[in-house]
């Protein structure tokens, strides 16, 4: 592979050994990159439960997925073009998609990020929590559907604790609407008690299939579908903590 092919996922070239020509490098399709983003991000949260995952739409750059702590003092982000980036001591470190997709071990990139950001490689991986399980089920669903004829991805389902909510993703799921209203009630009570605003972390993600929501995930460990609300941890425990089986149980009717 030429040196230029290790820079990013864009217009790079690889050399054929059997001739002097070049073949234009074509990056993997977005569905593969999306599944890989979520696997790495969810694995980081599993290994470091104080972290959380957020998303952001950037005009012209598409969707960003970010792993960060509550103080937002550490932020790791992925996009479908630039790969992975994080800031340490004022310097941006990048890991290209070529490097991530070529990793021999699935944990190679995870450990590289842990070392590079100062998170550290845990001596003992913590037990899965409802919080981390939420993200892992999203990642599992995206990996399962990677070859489906439908396009799958996960996006934040935003809510505001201060205003009337208007995110359309909630509408098919009455239990998600009720959960959203409870978050707003608790936030209002905290504001009334302290007399000042609060930094509100968005708890909800929508799993979309061809732009249509099939489920709303609450990062507290609950999935909302048209069948109602299901706590993920009891389901996970009941089938011997098997992630793929948990995903199939809560999302089976929608998966390919």
């Amino acid at each position: 592979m030429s040196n230029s092919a290790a820079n990013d996922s864009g217009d790079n070239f690889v050399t054929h050994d059997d001739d002097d020509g070049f073949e234009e490098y074509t990056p993997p399709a977005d569905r593969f990159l999306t599944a890989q983003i979520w696997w790495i991000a969810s694995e980081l949260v599993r290994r470091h439960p104080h972290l959380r995952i957020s998303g952001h739409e950037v005009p012209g750059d598409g969707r960003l997925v970010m792993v960060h702590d509550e103080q937002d003092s550490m932020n790791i982000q992925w996009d479908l073009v630039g790969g992975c980036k994080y800031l340490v001591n004022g310097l941006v470190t990048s890991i290209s998609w070529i490097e991530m997709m070529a990793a021999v071990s699935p944990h190679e990139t995870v450990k590289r990020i842990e070392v590079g950001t100062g998170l550290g490689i845990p001596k003992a991986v913590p037990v899965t929590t409802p919080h981390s399980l939420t993200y892992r089920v999203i990642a599992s669903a995206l990996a399962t559907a990677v070859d489906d004829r439908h396009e799958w991805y996960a996006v934040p389902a935003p809510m505001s604790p201060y205003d009337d909510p208007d995110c359309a993703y909630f509408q098919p799921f009455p239990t998600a609407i009720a959960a959203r209203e409870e978050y707003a009630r608790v936030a209002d009570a905290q504001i009334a008690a302290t007399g000042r605003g609060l930094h509100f972390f968005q708890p909800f993600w929508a799993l979309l299939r061809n732009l249509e929501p099939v489920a709303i995930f609450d990062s507290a460990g609950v999935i909302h579908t048209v069948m109602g609300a299901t706590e993920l941890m009891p389901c996970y425990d009941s089938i011997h903590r098997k992630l793929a089986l948990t995903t199939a149980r809560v999302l089976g009717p929608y998966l390919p």
Side-chain angles (χ1 to χ4, degrees):
M1 181 178 294
S2 68
N3 288 335
S4 64
N7 290 332
D8 54 42
S9 67
D11 296 330
N12 299 317
F13 298 85
V14 294
T15 306
H16 283 300
D17 292 334
D18 56 353
D19 58 42
D20 294 328
F22 292 89
E23 178 183 356
E24 183 175 358
Y25 167 72
T26 302
D30 288 355
R31 68 185 190 276
F32 297 111
L33 305 185
T34 297
Q36 189 68 8
I37 287 171
W38 271 92
W39 185 85
I40 296 172
S42 65
E43 187 66 8
L44 283 168
V45 177
R46 184 178 78 92
R47 293 161 67 89
H48 305 274
H50 69 287
L51 300 177
R52 61 180 67 241
I53 302 178
S54 297
H56 187 58
E57 287 278 350
V58 179
D61 290 334
R63 294 186 295 272
L64 296 181
V65 174
M66 297 167 286
V67 169
H68 57 93
D69 55 19
E70 289 195 0
Q71 294 75 32
D72 210 20
S73 58
M74 185 210 66
N75 190 300
I76 309 159
Q77 71 176 43
W78 291 261
D79 65 71
L80 296 174
V81 176
C84 176
K85 298 177 183 178
Y86 52 87
L87 185 70
V88 177
N89 296 326
L91 297 176
V92 176
T93 298
S94 299
I95 306 176
S96 72
W97 274 118
I98 290 179
E99 294 173 281
M100 285 187 281
M101 297 301 282
V104 174
S105 165
H107 282 90
E108 182 178 315
T109 301
V110 173
K111 292 179 179 179
R112 180 175 172 182
I113 292 170
E114 289 175 330
V115 172
T117 60
L119 279 170
I121 299 173
K123 294 181 179 179
V125 177
V127 175
T128 293
T129 65
H131 173 72
S132 63
L133 182 59
T134 304
Y135 300 136
R136 293 182 68 207
V137 172
I138 294 174
S140 177
L142 292 172
T144 301
V146 75
D147 288 322
D148 191 17
R149 61 189 178 91
H150 303 292
E151 182 183 12
W152 289 71
Y153 53 95
V155 298
M159 62 162 289
S160 170
Y162 313 110
D163 305 309
D164 291 334
D166 59 359
C167 178
Y169 293 142
F170 288 90
Q171 296 310 311
F173 313 111
T175 57
I177 294 174
R180 181 182 63 186
E181 291 173 349
E182 178 61 15
Y183 271 106
R185 186 195 66 76
V186 171
D188 286 342
Q190 290 178 349
I191 294 169
T194 62
R196 59 179 184 270
L198 56 86
H199 187 67
F200 185 76
F201 293 102
Q202 294 291 336
F204 296 109
W205 284 85
L207 183 65
L208 306 184
R209 183 180 64 177
N210 282 358
L211 302 179
E212 295 296 325
V214 299
I216 296 287
F217 285 86
D218 181 342
S219 61
V222 180
I223 181 175
H224 301 272
T225 67
V226 294
M227 301 298 293
T230 301
E231 290 190 36
L232 294 171
M233 188 58 74
C235 180
Y236 182 63
D237 287 336
S238 71
I239 46 182
H240 311 292
R241 305 180 74 82
K242 299 295 186 182
L243 180 62
L245 294 180
T246 302
T247 306
R249 177 168 293 185
V250 298
L251 286 168
Y254 304 100
L255 295 172

